[in-house]
């Protein structure tokens, strides 16, 4: 709150009727302490005595009547009566003071102050600490004004500070506060708390005076003049200018101040026209919300905004009118958020957390307009404001990013169709639309009043034979209304502090849902054959209850659970009477005084059991997947939140019976159940819910648990032949395009939940071959994602091979079967995890046994690419680790190796480029297989293999001791190679050098055969010169591996084959030189000179090389004489 040092001006003018200058007899100007004679404050006296009639009457007047009305009603009010009214006008409860001084609720604040370091810093806690440490002093109450000083003790960083605090109050509410501390916040500072609690806890120590105007009335002229002069003297520096100005105006006959009867009195209490509400600094609320929004979710701003929303709910629960006032201020700042226009302009969506804040804003307005005791004019004002916000272009839509074109279901009410008839045609529904529609709702329906107000409201003679019966067959009341709307009433009752009434309505709604569920089951059984024959189902509710903006199931669940646990504070459990104007309220000390409501529960049933059954009904409802990313994410989020709440409940025998009953209902419920035999293609899947049901039912009824889980495994939205269906509900037929592929933004999450359900079943079915087979069939039928099937295969493998037990061979086979399915699914598609999947499959097959390995090799072409089959599968199978793991004998090893070699040869035939080398490696120990693999390579060499692959296999052959085969493959590789003049760093150069070295080592014949191939394929001068130089260093065949020896003479450069190589090298240098000179730049001149030097070395290897090189240089000088600088360098080096 923004605490101002200046006291606000008085609210009303005070004067005495029949005023005269004569002092009224019998009145004293002195003061008495608050707890003086006649005090009825029970808390200040050790002995209890009956309250006086004066105190009882004064307390009631102080609570309800503004003091001006009291003065107007009675010409003369005795001073003792005035004192008691003034005394009782100060708040007596600390709960409201706590509410206005911290984010925490009153219940939390009343706990021990040592709970956490954060809590001790709250203003309320600090205020208590200041009070208890004696820091409050100079406390004075003058009429309806309380003042005092609060001393803030010195700290290591701050000196001691004395704060002057002033508080005005009216009808047991603090209406304004000021403090000298200068602190700015939404809530009261610790000093205001300390002074307020001093007055609440120690009223007998507070000196009480009547309003200052009463004291002034008792003074004559001399006393008044002395009073004014002394006041000016004491505060002359502050008030002298103001005093002079007032004096001038009073002495002026025509001044404005003389036109008004009476004078203001800041201590005289409220006027008749003043609104009676607790002090709330509107400016600070707006500033704080604006600050939180500007932080964009950082620095905990989202949490702070949620705490503000919680504060609004707390105020509503206390029936404090500031709740709506504060929410209005918050909403105005939300609507003024500049990001709304920016997002709309850019076409981007708001963040998820920010979107949830808007949802809470809309839900709070729904609660406010459904306030059962609000006045019509108040609701009309809210409606105008909501419509104003609703009409703004940037107002967020209810479903996030998409307009909701569903009919307006909120007004499908039994109390009349006087709502907006054309709202169904509106293309968009904003976050305020439901609150606007709720303004048409009322609480005057007689049946509704009886349900809410009467624990004994029954009709045992009622015949339950119509769809909208008011009572069921037991005579218990029912409430037929659009379920989310009915639950919004429950939330409104809870929010406004009527837990008993909320509970009564919640029970009636749940009993109605139970009856509808039973009726729907009977209806489906009667028409089951026709529906199953047609393969058609219906959506009976276009608005699902889970994920709905009004969260109906969550509301019912919370209401019943809080009642069952005794969490709800029933100190405000008022009894509603809507027909007699203002509602009366009868207090109840605790929630356990609601026993009569239990008459509408089954025998032995508890609120907890009813809450659980309600949640199960809501989660199992068949509902269509909404449009839009946010709405779909909200369905998932709300479902998971509700299940998390259910998981906190410990199951007993009663709850297990409820689970069984609901499970049967869901399985047999037809189109009304998400687990029925037929579901609409775009129904929200039940995987997450079914997993929870499965886990809960498994220890008690395994057969039923598996039925539920297996039924829920389906995902028809991904089925290409999913049954078409109509989306219908009574009296509302909505046409859709059948079998359109929906925009399911949460599909990946849904598929992961489907996978989790399957994994849970696999884990539970370990050791049960029949169950495992059933689960496997369901997985293969319903899961369409290879990554999820692979995860399931891995999960099954882990479960089957736990370290503390023997492997479960049945589960291993399931794991293998799933792995095989993954292989088939991903064989022709790109998948970055493919190699991991193949390796894992071989590992799994190894655990299953040798027959599994043999099987996957026999059918490799349906599972693997040729490269995978040879480089991963066959290689792993023939590794020593696999042989050791399988404990194979020699015969089994040979059979397995034979299968691997056969696979390798088949792969080499199909893909020689990538599999030939692997096939040769795998067939090394079998001569026939090896020869076959070699022949495959030769056959493919001319057409299907590159020089790189052939060179690699050639080197392998040399390494294995087959130089002639290596030479053969090298010559085949050379035929595919082409090195141009400037490719002097080509990766194939090393292969060419190796091939020439191999040929040289084999002998003159082999070298003579390969040199023509080299000359034809290689145009790069430096490479050719390197080959030429190597061939002249040693005698061909000197290092050959075979026994043949040559003469030992070096080969002549004047004869073939080296003459051919020398001429080709010289020609390459000449061609390269001309090519380089065409586009040479000065910075490359030195490099070019070095190149010519190397060329000269090659030229000089010929017998007439010197003459050739000189002619070559002369030609260059002539042709490129324009490059003077370069030719000068050439002359300097070469003459």
């Amino acid at each position: 709150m923004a605490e101002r040092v200046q006291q606000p001006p008085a609210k009303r003018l005070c004067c005495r009727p029949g005023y005269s200058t004569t002092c009224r007899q019998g009145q004293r100007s002195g003061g008495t302490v608050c707890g003086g004679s006649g005090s009825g404050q029970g808390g200040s006296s050790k002995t209890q005595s009956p309250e006086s009639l004066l105190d009882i009457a004064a307390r009631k007047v102080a609570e309800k009547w503004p003091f001006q009305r009291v003065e107007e009603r009675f010409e003369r009010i005795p001073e003792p009566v005035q004192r008691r009214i003034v005394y009782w006008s100060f708040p007596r409860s600390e709960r409201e003071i706590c509410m206005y001084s911290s984010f925490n609720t009153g219940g939390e604040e009343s706990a021990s102050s040592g709970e956490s370091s954060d809590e001790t810093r709250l203003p309320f806690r600090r205020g208590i600490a200041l009070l208890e440490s004696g820091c409050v002093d100079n406390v004075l109450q003058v009429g309806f004004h309380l003042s005092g000083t609060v001393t803030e003790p010195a700290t290591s960083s701050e000196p001691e500070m004395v704060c002057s605090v002033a508080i005005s109050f009216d009808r047991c509410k603090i209406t304004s506060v000021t403090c000298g501390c200068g602190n700015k916040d939404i809530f009261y500072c610790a000093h205001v708390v300390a002074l307020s609690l001093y007055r609440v806890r120690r009223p007998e120590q507070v000196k009480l005076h009547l309003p200052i105007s009463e004291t002034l009335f008792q003074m004559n002229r001399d006393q008044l003049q002395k009073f004014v002069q002394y006041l000016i003297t004491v505060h002359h520096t502050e008030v002298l200018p103001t005093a002079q100005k007032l004096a001038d105006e009073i002495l002026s006959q025509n001044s404005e101040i003389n036109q008004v009867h009476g004078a203001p009195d800041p201590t005289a209490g409220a006027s008749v026209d003043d609104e009676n509400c607790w002090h709330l600094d509107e400016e600070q609320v707006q500033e704080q919300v604006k600050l939180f929004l500007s932080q964009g979710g950082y620095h905990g701003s989202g949490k702070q905004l949620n705490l503000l929303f919680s504060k609004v709910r707390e105020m509503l629960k206390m029936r404090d009118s500031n709740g709506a006032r504060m929410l209005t201020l918050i909403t105005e700042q939300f609507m003024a958020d500049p990001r709304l226009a920016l997002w709309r302009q850019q076409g981007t969506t708001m963040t998820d957390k920010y979107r949830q804040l808007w949802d809470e804003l809309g839900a709070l307005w729904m609660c406010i307009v459904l306030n059962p005791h609000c006045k019509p004019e108040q609701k009309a004002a809210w409606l105008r404001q909501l419509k104003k916000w609703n009409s703004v272009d940037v107002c967020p839509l209810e479903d996030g990013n998409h307009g909701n074109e569903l009919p307006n279901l909120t007004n499908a009410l039994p109390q009349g169709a006087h709502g907006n008839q054309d709202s169904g045609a509106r293309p968009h529904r904003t976050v305020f639309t439901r609150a606007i529609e709720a303004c048409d709702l009322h609480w005057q329906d007689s049946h509704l009043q009886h349900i809410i107000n009467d624990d004994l409201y029954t009709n045992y003679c009622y015949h339950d034979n119509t769809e909208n019966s008011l009572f069921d067959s037991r005579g218990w009341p029912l409430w037929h209304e659009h379920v989310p709307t009915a639950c919004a009433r429950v939330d409104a009752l809870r929010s406004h502090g009527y837990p008993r009434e909320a509970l009564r309505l919640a029970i009636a709604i749940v009993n109605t849902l139970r009856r509808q569920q039973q009726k729907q089951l009977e209806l489906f059984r009667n028409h089951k054959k026709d529906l199953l024959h047609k393969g058609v189902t219906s959506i009976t509710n276009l608005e699902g209850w889970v994920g709905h903006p009004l969260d109906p199931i969550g509301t019912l669940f919370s209401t019943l659970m809080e009642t069952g646990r005794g969490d709800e504070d029933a100190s405000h459990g008022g009894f509603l009477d809507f027909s007699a104007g203002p509602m009366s309220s009868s207090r109840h000390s605790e929630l356990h005084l609601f026993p009569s409501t239990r008459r509408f529960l089954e025998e032995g049933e508890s609120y907890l059991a009813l809450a659980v059954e309600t949640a199960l009904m809501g989660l199992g409802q068949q509902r269509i997947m909404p449009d839009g990313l946010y709405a779909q994410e909200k369905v998932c989020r709300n479902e998971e939140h509700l299940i998390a709440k259910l998981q906190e409940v410990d199951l007993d025998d009663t709850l297990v019976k409820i689970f069984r009953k609901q499970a049967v209902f869901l399985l047999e419920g037809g189109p009304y159940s998400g687990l029925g035999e037929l579901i609409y293609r775009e129904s929200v899947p039940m995987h997450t819910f079914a997993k929870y049901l499965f886990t809960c039912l498994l220890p008690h009824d395994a057969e039923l648990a598996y039925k539920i889980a297996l039924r829920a495994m389906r995902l028809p939205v991904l089925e290409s032949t999913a049954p078409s269906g109509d989306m219908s509900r009574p009296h509302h037929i909505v046409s859709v395009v059948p079998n359109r592929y929906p925009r399911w933004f949460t599909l990946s999450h849904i598929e992961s939940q489907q996978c989790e359900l399957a994994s849970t079943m696999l884990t539970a079915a370990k050791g049960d071959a029949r169950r495992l087979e059933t689960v496997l069939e369901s997985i293969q039928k319903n899961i369409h994602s290879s990554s999820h099937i692979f995860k399931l295969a891995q999960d099954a493998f882990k479960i089957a091979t736990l370290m503390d037990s023997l492997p479960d061979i049945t589960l291993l086979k399931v794991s293998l079967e799933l792995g095989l399915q993954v292989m088939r699914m991903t064989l022709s598609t790109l998948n970055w995890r493919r190699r991991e999947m193949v390796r894992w499959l071989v590992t799994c097959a190894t655990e299953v046994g040798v027959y599994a390995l043999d099987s996957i090799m026999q059918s490799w072409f349906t599972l693997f690419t040729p490269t995978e089959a040879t480089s991963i599968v066959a290689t792993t199978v023939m590794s020593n680790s696999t042989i050791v793991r399988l404990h194979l004998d020699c015969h089994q090893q040979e059979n397995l190796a034979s299968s691997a070699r056969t696979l390798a040869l088949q792969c080499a035939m199909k893909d020689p480029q990538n599999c030939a080398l692997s096939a040769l490696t795998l067939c090394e120990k079998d001569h026939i297989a090896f020869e076959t693999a070699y022949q495959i390579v030769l056959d493919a060499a001319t057409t299907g293999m590159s020089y790189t692959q052939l060179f690699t296999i050639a080197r392998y052959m040399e390494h294995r001791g087959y130089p002639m085969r290596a030479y053969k493959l090298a010559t085949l590789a050379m035929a595919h190679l082409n090195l141009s003049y400037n490719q002097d760093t080509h990766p194939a150069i090393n292969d060419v050098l190796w091939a020439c070295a191999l040929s040289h080592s084999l002998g003159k014949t082999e070298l003579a055969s390969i040199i023509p191939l080299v000359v034809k394929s290689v145009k790069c001068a430096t490479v050719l010169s390197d080959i030429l130089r190597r061939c002249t260093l040693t005698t061909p065949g000197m290092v050959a591996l075979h026994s043949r020896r040559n003469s030992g003479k070096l080969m002549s450069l004047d004869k073939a084959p080296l003459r051919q190589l020398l001429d080709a090298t010289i020609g390459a240098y000449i061609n390269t030189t001309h090519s380089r000179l065409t586009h040479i730049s000065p910075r490359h001149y030195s490099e070019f000179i070095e190149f010519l030097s190397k060329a000269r070395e090659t030229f000089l290897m010929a017998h007439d090389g010197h003459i050739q090189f000189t002619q070559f240089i002369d030609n260059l000088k002539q042709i490129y004489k324009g490059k003077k600088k370069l030719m000068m360098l050439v002359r300097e080096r070469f003459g």
Side-chain angles (χ1 to χ4, degrees):
M1 54 162 282
E3 288 158 347
R4 301 168 295 278
V5 178
Q6 292 293 326
Q7 178 72 17
K11 292 184 179 180
R12 66 185 182 92
L13 303 177
C14 299
C15 60
R16 181 69 63 189
Y19 165 77
S20 70
T21 56
T22 307
C23 179
R24 299 178 66 173
Q25 298 297 317
Q27 294 189 345
R28 303 179 303 278
S29 60
T32 63
V33 296
C34 288
S37 176
S39 173
Q41 180 74 359
S44 63
S45 175
K46 293 184 179 179
T47 60
Q48 296 293 328
S49 58
E51 241 183 333
S52 68
L53 185 59
L54 171 60
D55 271 316
I56 294 172
R59 187 173 67 247
K60 291 298 182 183
V61 169
E63 290 174 358
K64 302 296 182 183
W65 283 30
F67 196 66
Q68 182 183 6
R69 178 168 293 174
V70 178
E71 290 180 325
E72 292 173 351
R73 180 74 177 270
F74 305 100
E75 181 179 347
R76 182 178 180 278
I77 306 170
E79 182 182 338
V81 175
Q82 289 192 58
R83 290 187 180 280
R84 299 320 294 160
I85 293 174
V86 169
Y87 171 82
W88 288 113
S89 291
F90 196 84
R92 296 183 291 280
S93 168
E94 296 183 8
R95 183 172 180 180
E96 286 87 352
I97 298 170
C98 171
M99 182 171 72
Y100 279 94
S101 58
S102 64
F103 273 121
N104 291 44
T105 61
E108 292 169 335
E109 284 291 351
S110 62
S112 170
S113 61
E115 283 182 0
S116 69
S117 58
D118 288 339
E119 191 175 343
T120 57
R121 292 197 295 268
L122 294 172
F124 186 75
R125 282 292 169 199
R126 287 180 51 232
I128 291 176
L130 290 171
L131 173 63
E132 293 175 346
S133 57
C135 296
V136 183
D137 201 6
N138 303 321
V139 182
L140 174 68
Q141 180 178 341
V142 179
F144 297 87
H145 184 86
L146 183 71
S147 62
T149 58
V150 180
T151 304
E152 188 79 56
T155 63
S156 58
S157 58
E158 297 289 339
E160 181 180 274
M161 179 175 64
V162 179
C163 300
S164 297
V165 183
I167 298 173
S168 296
F169 52 91
D170 169 47
R171 285 168 277 181
C172 300
K173 294 175 183 175
I174 293 175
T175 55
S176 72
V177 298
T178 59
C179 181
C181 69
N183 181 49
K184 290 185 178 295
D185 196 1
I186 293 176
F187 302 113
Y188 302 167
C189 66
H191 314 112
V192 171
V193 172
L195 180 61
S196 303
L197 295 183
Y198 186 98
R199 172 62 176 80
V200 172
R201 296 183 180 185
R202 305 172 187 175
E204 70 283 353
Q205 297 179 20
V206 178
K207 193 170 185 179
L208 187 149
H209 297 264
L210 292 177
I212 192 68
S213 55
E214 287 290 334
T215 305
L216 296 177
F217 282 137
Q218 299 171 27
M219 296 181 184
N220 57 30
R221 187 196 177 287
D222 293 337
Q223 291 172 320
L224 283 171
Q225 183 166 357
K226 183 179 292 188
F227 171 78
V228 172
Q229 289 182 210
Y230 266 100
L231 180 64
I232 293 173
T233 301
V234 174
H235 300 287
H236 68 277
T237 57
E238 292 91 357
V239 304
L240 187 57
T242 304
Q244 186 59 57
K245 178 183 177 183
L246 291 174
D248 292 343
E249 290 186 7
I250 289 173
L251 292 175
S252 173
Q253 292 295 327
N254 298 323
S255 65
E256 183 178 351
I257 201 170
N258 284 321
Q259 307 303 315
V260 179
H261 186 56
D265 180 2
T267 68
S271 68
V272 175
D273 299 328
D274 286 340
E275 185 180 359
N276 181 227
C277 60
W278 285 78
H279 172 71
L280 179 69
D281 195 318
E282 297 187 2
E283 181 183 347
Q284 275 305 303
V285 172
Q286 292 172 319
E287 287 298 320
Q288 291 287 332
V289 175
K290 186 177 181 180
L291 174 64
F292 294 150
L293 288 174
S294 68
Q295 292 172 349
Y298 301 104
H299 314 295
S301 58
K303 180 182 178 183
Q304 295 297 316
L305 288 168
N306 274 316
L307 288 173
L308 279 179
F309 288 144
S310 297
K311 182 59 65 178
V312 171
R313 286 195 177 273
E314 187 183 353
M315 290 176 174
L316 295 181
K317 202 169 188 177
M318 299 282 284
R319 303 177 197 166
D320 188 331
S321 60
N322 277 339
R325 186 173 158 210
M326 186 170 179
L327 186 62
T328 301
L329 298 171
I330 294 173
T331 307
E332 287 173 347
Q333 292 305 308
F334 266 72
M335 291 298 297
D337 190 344
R339 291 178 297 172
L340 292 176
L342 183 64
W343 286 331
R344 182 180 178 88
Q345 182 182 1
Q346 295 176 343
T348 55
T349 59
M350 61 180 69
T351 63
D352 194 54
K353 288 185 177 180
Y354 189 56
R355 175 71 248 186
Q356 290 177 39
L357 292 172
W358 275 102
D359 280 354
E360 179 65 8
L361 201 65
L364 281 170
W365 274 113
M366 188 79 174
C367 281
I368 284 175
V369 300
L370 280 176
N371 181 352
H373 59 266
C374 76
K375 299 174 182 177
E377 57 271 20
Q378 198 174 35
K379 183 182 283 190
W382 289 334
L383 179 59
R384 287 192 298 273
Q385 183 64 68
L386 288 168
K387 285 184 175 180
K388 178 182 175 183
W389 291 326
N390 191 67
S391 63
V392 178
D393 288 342
V394 296
C395 185
L397 303 181
E398 182 180 71
D399 57 355
N401 309 312
H402 298 267
N404 187 348
E405 298 180 1
L406 300 179
N408 172 11
L409 302 183
T410 306
N411 287 311
L413 307 176
Q415 58 186 358
H418 57 276
N420 296 329
Q421 298 298 320
D422 61 338
S423 60
R426 289 169 53 177
H428 301 297
R429 295 173 64 82
T430 73
V431 291
F432 301 117
T433 301
R434 292 186 185 273
I436 291 171
E437 294 170 352
C439 289
D440 291 328
L441 300 177
H442 58 77
W443 296 84
Q444 275 69 46
D445 184 274
S446 59
H447 183 60
L448 177 62
Q449 287 190 44
H450 282 301
I451 291 173
I452 290 176
N453 289 323
D454 193 355
D455 286 325
L456 305 176
Y457 184 46
T458 56
N459 189 335
Y460 297 110
C461 300
Y462 197 88
H463 296 291
D464 179 23
N465 54 4
T466 60
E467 183 180 349
N468 294 321
S469 300
L470 299 181
F471 299 89
D472 61 16
S473 57
R474 299 164 298 188
W476 296 357
L478 304 173
W479 179 242
H480 295 278
E481 188 174 29
H482 175 235
V483 174
T485 306
C487 295
R489 292 183 185 273
V490 175
D491 191 29
L493 289 169
R494 287 176 64 219
S495 299
H496 289 284
Y498 298 99
R500 172 186 282 219
E501 290 74 12
L503 177 61
R504 291 180 184 134
L505 183 56
I507 292 173
I509 294 169
V510 174
N511 284 331
T512 307
L513 294 180
R514 283 169 156 178
R515 177 179 176 274
Q516 289 176 348
Q517 188 183 49
Q518 183 64 45
K519 295 282 186 184
Q520 289 166 354
L521 178 60
E522 294 170 2
L523 179 64
F524 175 65
R525 284 173 176 169
N526 294 334
H527 299 86
K528 183 175 182 179
K529 290 183 179 179
D530 294 338
L531 287 173
L532 293 178
H533 176 70
K534 294 177 182 177
V536 173
T537 185
S538 304
I539 293 290
T540 58
N541 195 334
L542 296 179
E543 286 189 306
W545 298 335
V546 175
H548 191 280
L550 299 179
D551 191 21
I553 298 299
T555 298
L556 293 175
F557 183 79
S558 299
T559 303
L560 295 166
M561 286 294 288
E562 287 172 358
T563 306
R565 291 173 175 170
D567 290 345
E568 184 78 70
D569 180 7
S571 62
H572 287 271
F575 183 85
L576 299 184
D577 179 6
F578 298 99
S579 58
M583 284 172 288
S584 60
S585 172
S586 60
R587 301 284 181 171
H588 303 278
S589 59
E590 60 179 6
L591 196 66
H592 298 103
L593 296 180
F594 291 3
S596 54
T597 313
R598 288 184 174 274
R599 69 185 296 112
F600 296 129
L601 299 179
E602 298 281 1
E603 185 177 353
E605 190 175 43
S606 63
Y607 294 122
L608 176 65
L610 194 62
V612 170
E613 185 171 7
T614 303
L616 297 181
M617 284 191 289
L619 289 166
Q621 176 208 27
Q622 183 174 175
R623 52 198 183 272
I624 192 169
M625 179 68 78
D627 290 333
L629 171 61
Y630 179 74
Q632 292 175 15
E633 286 180 340
K634 190 173 182 180
V635 168
C636 298
R637 186 169 55 246
N638 283 23
E639 180 182 39
E640 289 165 4
H641 177 73
L642 193 54
I643 290 173
K645 291 289 186 183
L646 284 171
Q647 287 172 335
E648 297 174 2
V649 178
D650 295 327
L651 295 187
D652 55 18
D653 292 341
T654 303
L655 292 179
V656 169
K657 288 179 181 177
I658 290 173
F659 270 79
R660 281 177 166 157
K661 182 183 83 170
Q662 281 301 318
V664 172
F665 268 129
L666 292 171
L667 287 172
E668 299 179 1
Y672 309 98
S673 164
L675 292 167
E677 291 182 63
L678 283 174
I679 58 170
Y680 182 68
R681 183 169 181 253
E682 294 183 33
S683 292
V684 173
M686 296 281 116
H687 307 128
T688 309
F689 177 44
K691 179 186 170 186
Y692 168 70
L693 282 180
F694 178 81
T695 306
C696 294
L697 286 170
L698 191 62
H700 310 284
D701 193 336
E703 190 67 30
L704 184 58
Y706 277 99
K707 280 184 180 179
I708 286 284
L710 291 169
R711 178 72 63 80
M713 277 292 293
R714 61 199 172 183
L715 189 53
V717 74
L718 295 182
E719 301 288 348
S720 57
T721 57
S724 61
D726 70 295
M727 296 164 48
S728 61
R729 66 185 191 91
H731 316 301
H732 289 274
I733 305 299
V734 183
S735 62
V736 294
V737 179
N739 286 336
R740 67 180 177 86
Y741 191 79
R743 298 183 65 191
W744 280 29
F745 299 97
T746 55
L747 189 58
S748 60
H749 173 75
I750 290 167
E751 287 187 284
S752 68
Q753 292 300 307
Q754 183 188 36
C755 180
E756 289 293 325
L757 173 61
S759 181
T760 304
M761 284 196 287
L762 284 175
T763 305
K766 181 180 180 180
D768 189 331
R770 183 179 65 86
R771 298 258 192 237
L772 284 173
E773 183 180 356
T774 307
V775 175
L776 175 61
E777 290 175 359
S778 179
I779 291 171
Q780 293 175 324
K781 177 184 176 183
N782 295 299
I783 297 185
H784 305 279
S785 165
S786 59
S787 60
H788 288 128
I789 297 177
F790 182 51
K791 179 184 182 303
L792 287 172
Q794 290 177 306
D795 290 348
F797 183 78
K798 290 175 185 176
I799 299 164
T801 56
L802 292 174
M803 297 296 292
D804 58 350
S805 61
L806 293 173
D808 186 316
I809 192 63
T810 308
L811 193 51
L812 272 176
K813 289 179 179 178
V814 169
S815 176
L816 178 64
E817 190 61 40
L818 292 172
L820 294 174
Q821 183 177 348
V822 173
M823 290 297 102
R824 288 188 285 267
M825 292 174 69
T826 58
L827 179 59
S828 59
T829 59
L830 294 175
N831 192 307
W832 64 274
R833 298 185 66 189
R834 175 76 184 177
R835 290 184 66 84
E836 176 195 354
M837 292 172 174
V838 174
R839 289 193 185 96
W840 177 87
L841 183 72
V842 177
T843 303
C844 182
T846 304
E847 288 295 324
V848 173
V850 65
Y851 69 90
L853 285 174
D854 191 63
S855 175
I856 65 173
M857 287 192 293
Q858 294 290 338
S859 56
W860 70 268
F861 49 88
T862 65
L863 304 171
F864 314 108
T865 64
T867 306
E868 292 168 346
T870 53
S871 63
I872 302 177
V873 180
T875 304
T876 307
V877 167
M878 295 186 68
S879 66
N880 288 330
S881 59
T882 302
I883 294 170
V884 172
R885 183 74 184 87
L886 292 172
H887 307 293
L888 302 180
D889 56 31
C890 293
H891 179 67
Q892 290 174 320
Q893 288 181 35
E894 181 54 35
N895 288 340
L896 198 60
S898 176
S899 295
R901 288 191 290 268
T902 303
L903 177 149
L905 292 173
Q906 291 173 348
C907 292
M909 288 287 290
K910 190 169 186 179
D911 185 6
Q913 297 95 331
N914 298 310
C915 300
L917 182 59
S918 296
L920 287 166
T921 306
L922 291 166
C923 296
E924 285 174 354
K925 296 181 179 179
D926 187 290
H927 178 70
I928 297 175
F930 187 80
E931 291 298 321
T932 304
Y934 176 63
Q935 190 58 47
I936 291 171
V937 174
L938 291 179
D939 294 342
T942 55
T943 55
M945 299 186 73
S946 68
Y947 63 83
T948 304
Q949 294 163 339
L950 289 170
F951 274 130
T952 303
I953 298 173
R955 285 177 180 260
Y956 163 80
M957 282 297 186
E958 185 196 33
H959 178 71
R960 299 304 302 172
Y962 299 104
M964 290 306 295
R965 292 186 177 186
Y967 168 74
K968 174 68 174 174
L969 292 169
T971 58
L972 292 172
M974 289 297 297
H976 294 286
L977 182 64
N978 184 21
L979 279 179
S980 63
Y981 75 91
N982 59 350
Q983 291 182 295
D984 51 357
T985 58
H986 194 282
I989 291 174
N990 285 331
D991 290 324
V992 173
L993 295 174
W994 168 82
C996 292
L998 174 66
S999 304
H1000 189 272
S1001 69
L1002 290 174
K1004 184 177 179 180
T1005 305
E1006 288 78 7
L1007 184 61
S1009 299
I1010 204 168
I1011 282 178
L1013 295 175
V1014 172
V1015 169
K1016 182 180 179 182
S1017 301
V1018 180
K1019 307 300 180 185
C1020 183
T1022 54
V1023 176
L1024 289 172
S1025 65
D1026 195 4
I1027 295 171
L1028 180 64
R1029 193 167 290 104
R1030 293 180 186 217
C1031 290
T1032 58
L1033 293 178
T1034 58
T1035 303
M1038 288 300 289
V1039 292
L1041 296 176
H1042 49 78
S1043 59
R1044 185 182 62 181
R1045 292 290 178 180
N1046 288 328
S1047 62
K1049 295 181 180 180
L1050 293 175
M1051 296 180 69
S1052 172
L1053 291 172
D1054 294 330
K1055 297 180 181 179
L1058 293 189
R1059 180 65 193 184
Q1060 183 184 3
L1061 180 60
L1062 177 59
D1063 291 343
T1065 306
I1066 291 173
Y1069 269 117
I1070 293 172
N1071 292 333
T1072 303
T1073 299
H1074 287 295
S1075 297
R1076 294 183 66 169
L1077 283 172
T1078 304
H1079 302 290
I1080 195 168
S1081 63
R1083 64 183 180 184
H1084 294 131
Y1085 284 175
S1086 60
E1087 181 186 338
F1088 177 73
I1089 297 300
E1090 293 301 320
F1091 174 76
L1092 286 180
S1093 298
K1094 292 181 180 179
R1096 181 170 62 179
E1097 293 174 4
T1098 303
F1099 271 83
L1100 293 178
M1101 294 176 75
H1103 74 280
D1104 58 348
H1106 179 73
I1107 297 172
Q1108 289 187 48
F1109 186 73
T1110 302
Q1111 291 176 347
F1112 174 54
I1113 293 297
D1114 290 342
N1115 287 337
L1116 290 181
K1117 293 175 185 177
Q1118 184 64 32
I1119 295 171
Y1120 301 102
K1121 58 185 178 182
K1123 300 183 184 293
K1124 296 180 180 179
K1125 184 177 181 180
L1126 176 60
M1127 291 303 106
M1128 184 181 68
L1129 292 174
V1130 170
R1131 279 192 295 270
E1132 287 177 359
R1133 175 70 69 92
F1134 304 109

